Amino acid sequence: MSSVLIVAEHFQGKLNPSSAKCVTCAKSIAGAEIDIVVLAVDAAAVAKEAAALAGVRRVLTLERPENAEALAAVWAPQIAELARNYSHVFGPSTTFGKDLLPRVAALLGVGQISDVMAVESAQRFRRPVYAANAVITVEAPAGNIVVATVRTASYQPAAGGGTASIERAQVNATLPTHTRFVSRSAANADRPDLQTATRVVSGGRALASAENFKLLYGLADALGAAVGASRAAVDAGYAANDLQVGQTGKIIAPELYVALGISGAIQHLTGIKDARTIVAVNKDSEAPIFEVADIGLVGDLFQIVPELERLIRARGG
Amino acid sequence: MSPILVGVKRVIDFSVRVRVKPDGSGVMTDGVKMSINPFDEIALEEALRLKERNLAGEVIAIGIGPGEAQQQLRTALAMGADRAVLVQVDSPVEPLTAAQVFLKLVQKHQPQLVILGKQAIDDDNGQTGQMLAALWDRPQATFASKVEIDGERAQVTREVDAGLETISIDLPAVVTTDLRLNEPRYIKLPDIMKAKKKPLDVIKLSDLGVTPPAQSIRTLKFEPPAARSRGVMVKDAAELVAALKQRGVL
Ligand SMILES: Cc1cc2nc3c(=O)[nH]c(=O)nc-3n(C[C@H](O)[C@H](O)[C@H](O)COP(=O)(O)OP(=O)(O)OC[C@H]3O[C@@H](n4cnc5c(N)ncnc54)[C@H](O)[C@@H]3O)c2cc1C
Ligand SMILES: Nc1ncnc2c1ncn2[C@@H]1O[C@H](COP(=O)(O)O)[C@@H](O)[C@H]1O
């Protein structure tokens, strides 16, 4: 019998949708019992949200002042303690989960499976490697706890309507004081979240300046879309780092992805493979982005984008 | 001053379009360009800059891989590493084993900092640094875009999903690099000559007392990813909007 412990990702009293996606992934293990653990100073609001996810058996809370920030060195020993009662420990392959779960795995003395995109059995999983140029099937040894991060772009969030119990958990773990939170800054807090948006408008090096990059925001607003960027646009300072889409940035799966002045390097394409519809605007008809675009338009984005925005606003979005 | 250890993994170059072998046993590597994992170049550059500012001692480049990985370590020496160690293995090791190797070398060299890449672009695991920090029972600062050393501490800015986060850590510690940490330097011809004289030790796992686990995560097969097909081309913005409408997106 499989039992899965999911580590909740949350911020300011709100559960991140990545946790609900982990639940969906865990549900694809036949007969699995699914618990969610919430580490926080005060876990009440998040635990309530987690308990409402359909398919969850129990929500465990670990409340202590040290859990105010998600510091991997502080959280991992507590999760590892709790994990000993489970066959699986899952977290999202967001920066939160990528930072934390390998530390948990090492404390448990086991390897980790990164970016699970499909579950074949309780022990067997599929995951992308080489910037998703290959998909491998891996098997964890029977008897070991399976620690894995879930590729959030591969799963829909679990539905609501669940009625899991909420229980206070106790663990015996000494917590280090060698790591301290200092500050956080969010450049795009007032815009739709790139990881969960159903529409994304992304810009590349072609935008040529931070000033020009703002052109995208008009179109994004007309579409109700989040904004993304290629690595080249981020490196050049046109866009903030958290907007980078790709192998080493965010892997997303929106309904609509609009790539403006992005050539379509492998590393970028890795991030958008699961988008329903890809639109590309590029002045080079040979650009590799057109090999994956559902709708392609060869031309100068500086002419096309304002025109597009006007047409879409005229339609009302 | 205590040294800095840097991970230098030999991987297929980022510009290669990797293809799966027809029999599903792996990916094609014959005649394929190999390089230092790009995140490890960034790690090495950061270590060199700290040394140049007198904030660190020797920079030791460490590779775990086949004999050919000496090429990448020579490149690391040419970039400026003081010496290199290749832990030669016949088949690739998993991140937990790599972390155990780094731990042994940490115990030997007593570094103030170990700088690894946030991920190797072949296996895309992104685990080794965090695992080393756990085994070593020391701080980890992953996805670093800025590292400031201040005596016994470091302040590290991290690239996280929500933006940037800054943490303060006691040293020694593990840092993993993100793309914006620095821009690695180019190698000049005289550096390549100088690198030939620098020490590069080749050792075995058993020399470190590391045995790969009898039970580990096994790769059963490789498959090509589901392909996306080429779509339609439109002439102008109006046609584009019409095509979106037709697909039910608008
Ligand atoms: C380790 C590593 C990790 C990486 N990770 C990522 C990642 O996560 N995400 C990512 O995106 N990249 C990543 N990259 C970088 C990637 O290899 C490419 O360099 C990058 O994606 C290119 O960005 P770009 O398409 O904006 O720029 P370019 O490749 O320079 O393309 C610009 C495009 O704009 C077009 N253009 C120019 N002017 C106009 C105009 N007026 N109108 C219309 N089109 C125009 C050009 O024809 C060209 O196709 C990574 C690279 C490495 C080595
Ligand atoms: N075989 C290896 N040789 C040298 N460094 C490695 C090796 N494996 C992992 N590392 C280091 O750990 C980082 C992350 O690797 P991974 O966890 O495999 O994604 C790499 O960028 C390297 O710095």
Side-chain angles (χ1 to χ4, degrees):
Chain A
M1 187 59 143
S2 302
S3 53
V4 186
L5 179 67
I6 294 169
V7 185
E9 173 170 11
H10 60 89
F11 184 59
Q12 293 179 338
K14 283 211 175 63
L15 188 66
N16 188 294
S18 65
S19 305
K21 294 178 177 181
C22 290
V23 171
T24 305
C25 176
K27 276 190 196 168
S28 50
I29 300 174
E33 282 175 335
I34 301 167
D35 290 356
I36 297 182
V37 60
V38 181
L39 287 83
V41 179
D42 173 0
V46 176
K48 205 172 148 210
E49 262 191 274
L53 294 172
V56 176
R57 176 182 63 170
R58 282 191 308 179
V59 175
L60 304 173
T61 60
L62 283 171
E63 294 181 315
R64 32 199 305 184
E66 296 93 329
N67 290 345
E69 296 290 341
L71 298 170
V74 175
W75 285 27
Q78 303 173 63
I79 296 162
E81 265 311 297
L82 209 56
R84 297 184 200 279
N85 308 319
Y86 292 85
S87 61
H88 296 68
V89 182
F90 282 6
S93 66
T94 55
T95 52
F96 161 80
K98 289 178 182 173
D99 183 45
L100 177 59
L101 272 289
R103 189 154 184 138
V104 173
L107 292 178
L108 293 169
V110 299
Q112 183 198 268
I113 300 171
S114 298
D115 306 314
V116 168
M117 56 190 285
V119 172
E120 304 225 309
S121 76
Q123 246 59 48
R124 249 184 222 197
F125 306 88
R126 283 157 56 80
R127 61 171 299 258
V129 290
Y130 293 100
N133 278 310
V135 174
I136 58 172
T137 305
V138 294
E139 187 170 67
N144 276 10
I145 299 177
V146 177
V147 179
T149 58
V150 173
R151 183 175 180 272
T152 48
S154 298
Y155 294 93
Q156 293 296 321
T163 52
S165 62
I166 300 175
E167 297 168 27
R168 210 175 281 271
Q170 290 286 331
V171 292
N172 220 334
T174 23
L175 306 186
T177 55
H178 53 46
T179 305
R180 295 156 300 267
F181 175 82
V182 176
S183 65
R184 169 180 301 112
S185 70
N188 304 288
D190 51 343
R191 297 205 55 88
D193 173 45
L194 177 57
Q195 265 161 325
T196 47
T198 52
R199 293 172 176 179
V200 174
V201 174
S202 245
R205 195 195 310 269
L207 271 299
S209 73
E211 194 52 38
N212 288 345
F213 202 84
K214 293 193 187 127
L215 187 64
L216 261 64
Y217 288 86
L219 177 59
D221 288 341
L223 284 165
V227 171
S230 71
R231 173 190 173 180
V234 176
D235 281 1
Y238 311 158
N241 66 280
D242 52 309
L243 296 189
Q244 183 181 314
V245 171
Q247 179 192 14
T248 60
K250 287 176 178 163
I251 314 261
I252 55 174
E255 292 288 312
L256 173 64
Y257 186 79
V258 184
L260 303 168
I262 292 178
S263 60
I266 291 169
Q267 291 82 11
H268 189 78
L269 300 184
T270 311
I272 59 171
K273 284 195 169 185
D274 294 283
R276 173 82 66 83
T277 297
I278 297 176
V279 171
V281 177
N282 196 303
K283 70 175 184 193
D284 173 10
S285 64
E286 302 287 311
I289 189 79
F290 289 123
E291 288 165 33
V292 300
D294 299 287
I295 306 171
L297 173 51
V298 177
D300 182 356
L301 75 90
F302 292 104
Q303 278 160 20
I304 292 164
V305 172
E307 173 77 358
L308 257 183
E309 181 186 339
R310 193 180 56 75
L311 290 170
I312 287 164
R313 284 198 193 277
R315 293 189 73 256
Chain B
M1 235 178 287
S2 23
I4 299 185
L5 302 190
V6 176
V8 173
K9 188 176 185 188
R10 170 185 167 94
V11 298
I12 295 180
D13 189 78
F14 82 97
S15 63
V16 173
R17 200 176 267 227
V18 174
R19 281 175 221 286
V20 174
K21 285 185 191 162
D23 68 359
S25 64
V27 300
M28 308 224 211
T29 50
D30 283 354
V32 161
K33 184 179 178 201
M34 304 297 289
S35 299
I36 298 180
N37 180 39
F39 289 101
D40 295 349
E41 268 189 304
I42 297 173
L44 178 54
E45 177 65 36
E46 196 64 17
L48 296 173
R49 289 184 190 185
L50 289 171
K51 185 186 164 185
E52 285 158 5
R53 286 162 50 212
N54 286 320
L55 291 166
E58 269 195 323
V59 175
I60 310 175
I62 294 161
I64 309 163
E68 292 83 2
Q70 287 187 46
Q71 293 161 12
Q72 281 66 42
L73 289 169
R74 280 289 165 211
T75 307
L77 292 170
M79 262 182 81
D82 297 294
R83 54 207 176 97
V85 179
L86 172 64
V87 182
Q88 194 170 336
V89 291
D90 301 330
S91 49
V93 297
E94 59 172 352
L96 184 58
T97 306
Q100 280 158 350
V101 167
F102 279 105
L103 180 66
K104 292 291 182 183
L105 292 165
V106 158
Q107 287 158 353
K108 180 164 172 206
H109 296 285
Q110 303 288 322
Q112 56 166 320
L113 214 51
V114 179
I115 314 183
L116 304 183
K118 82 163 176 179
Q119 83 197 61
I121 62 161
D122 51 2
D123 59 34
D124 282 333
N125 274 320
Q127 304 170 5
T128 309
Q130 298 88 312
M131 288 183 162
L132 169 62
L135 301 179
W136 188 13
D137 200 10
R138 294 302 307 167
Q140 68 186 49
T142 52
F143 327 136
S145 66
K146 194 173 177 196
V147 177
E148 290 162 296
I149 306 274
D150 180 13
E152 303 289 292
R153 289 183 172 189
Q155 183 136 316
V156 181
T157 303
R158 309 175 52 231
E159 294 200 7
V160 294
D161 288 341
L164 295 172
E165 181 187 288
T166 302
I167 59 173
S168 160
I169 53 176
D170 295 344
L171 298 179
V174 179
V175 169
T176 77
T177 60
D178 215 320
L179 295 168
R180 259 66 61 178
L181 184 57
N182 60 51
E183 233 178 279
R185 66 195 62 190
Y186 287 103
I187 296 169
K188 295 184 235 60
L189 201 57
D191 300 329
I192 298 173
M193 300 312 290
K194 260 192 272 169
K196 289 189 176 146
K197 296 201 196 77
K198 290 184 181 174
L200 193 173
D201 295 337
V202 181
I203 59 172
K204 296 197 292 288
L205 280 180
S206 54
D207 296 332
L208 295 173
V210 174
T211 28
Q215 291 228 318
S216 61
I217 296 164
R218 283 193 310 138
T219 300
L220 304 179
K221 67 173 174 207
F222 285 73
E223 287 166 289
R228 278 190 88 102
S229 51
R230 190 184 271 268
V232 297
M233 297 301 288
V234 294
K235 273 200 333 281
D236 55 26
E239 276 195 14
L240 175 49
V241 171
L244 283 172
K245 213 175 140 203
Q246 203 194 355
R247 287 181 66 94
V249 180
L250 285 184

